[in-house]
């Protein structure tokens, strides 16, 4: 409880759950479930807070570090988890991947974009129809050896249209920085908050 500055712990009743270096977590407030996302393995496990059990266990590992520090969001509109970008094997990624919760299917989406460069260490904030991605570190080619740099731009991923469009670019700062993984977007007053 953030409001009460208190935490509680409860063990789970079933399903051994591995934790790998590239795992991501999301909480689904509408279903009261925690999703453990295995990006390289193309698997998602769900923890039901009522039964305190995982729906899958013992996910075998695959070669790691293809999607470290990727961004993710849960879309209630199409019951899917989206994963954007990442880094691994000296390569920055700009992939947009979708995991459809009802069918347990994973796909890499073809996304129309003009200037979204491969990156990781960006911040993502979900909206009702997509997500904003701000900043990050990467390179235009995706190769770590070819001019890596910090990005100071804001893009919008339109989920229904499957497009990535540039919203604006920041003035270059005096000192380089990257953002924390999560960003809060307030659609009502067109603001965002990011660290």
């Amino acid at each position: 409880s953030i409001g009460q500055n208190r935490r509680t712990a409860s063990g789970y009743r079933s399903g051994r759950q591995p934790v790998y270096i590239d795992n991501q977590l999301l909480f689904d407030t509408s279903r009261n479930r925690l999703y453990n996302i295995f990006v390289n393995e193309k698997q998602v496990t769900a923890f039901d807070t009522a039964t305190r059990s995982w729906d899958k266990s013992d996910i075998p590992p695959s070669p790691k570090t293809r999607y470290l520090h990727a961004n993710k969001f849960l879309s209630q509109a199409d019951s899917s988890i989206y994963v954007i970008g990442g880094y691994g094997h000296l390569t920055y990624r700009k992939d947009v991947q979708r995991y459809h919760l009802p069918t347990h299917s994973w796909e890499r989406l073809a996304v129309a974009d003009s200037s979204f460069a491969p990156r990781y260490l960006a911040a993502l904030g979900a909206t009702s129809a997509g997500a904003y991605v701000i900043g990050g570190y990467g390179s235009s080619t995706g190769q770590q050896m070819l001019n890596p740099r910090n990005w100071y731009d804001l893009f919008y991923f339109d989920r229904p249209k499957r497009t990535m469009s540039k919203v604006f670019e920041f003035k270059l700062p005096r000192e380089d920085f990257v953002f924390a993984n999560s960003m809060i977007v307030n659609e009502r007053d067109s603001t965002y908050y990011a660290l």
Side-chain angles (χ1 to χ4, degrees):
S1 169
I2 294 172
Q4 298 175 5
N5 194 25
R6 190 176 47 163
R7 87 185 147 116
T8 58
S10 59
Y12 53 89
R13 293 184 177 136
S14 70
R16 185 175 167 206
Q17 204 59 203
V19 177
Y20 302 134
I21 192 170
D22 60 337
N23 279 48
Q24 297 269 347
L25 291 172
L26 278 174
F27 188 72
D28 184 348
T29 56
S30 68
R31 294 180 182 94
N32 235 13
R33 290 194 174 149
L34 177 68
Y35 296 114
N36 190 2
I37 306 162
F38 299 83
V39 184
N40 280 290
E41 290 76 14
K42 309 291 186 243
Q43 295 282 329
V44 174
T45 60
F47 180 75
D48 187 317
T49 56
T51 63
R52 292 187 9 219
S53 60
W54 293 96
D55 66 344
K56 297 179 205 165
S57 57
D58 291 325
I59 304 296
S62 70
K64 295 279 120 202
T65 70
R66 286 186 60 89
Y67 296 102
L68 293 172
H69 300 284
N71 293 99
K72 79 279 185 195
F73 71 99
L74 176 65
S75 169
Q76 299 290 353
D78 65 349
S79 301
S80 297
I81 294 171
Y82 288 83
V83 178
I84 299 175
Y87 169 80
H89 301 294
L90 305 177
T91 304
Y92 307 106
R93 314 241 181 247
K94 69 178 198 172
D95 304 0
V96 176
Q97 301 176 72
R98 176 181 177 247
Y99 179 81
H100 188 238
L101 291 163
T103 61
H104 307 285
S105 61
W106 196 286
E107 67 178 317
R108 184 175 169 200
L109 302 180
V111 175
D113 72 79
S114 58
S115 58
F116 184 70
R119 66 189 68 204
Y120 79 136
L121 299 174
L124 182 142
T127 67
S128 57
Y132 287 95
V133 178
I134 190 170
Y137 189 82
S139 73
S140 298
T141 64
Q143 297 301 308
Q144 181 179 339
M145 305 297 248
L146 300 175
N147 302 318
R149 58 169 283 205
N150 289 74
W151 297 106
Y152 301 105
D153 46 18
L154 178 72
F155 280 83
Y156 183 68
F157 170 65
D158 188 310
R159 180 192 44 76
K161 294 179 183 174
R162 294 188 177 181
T163 59
M164 186 76 77
S165 56
K166 189 175 204 174
V167 178
F168 68 85
E169 190 156 336
F170 293 97
K171 185 175 75 171
L172 288 176
R174 285 190 293 215
E175 288 188 42
D176 285 328
F177 67 90
V178 293
F179 290 89
N181 194 266
S182 298
M183 172 172 56
I184 304 300
V185 175
N186 185 335
E187 290 183 275
R188 281 178 287 158
D189 65 4
S190 298
T191 60
Y192 67 87
Y193 304 88
L195 295 175

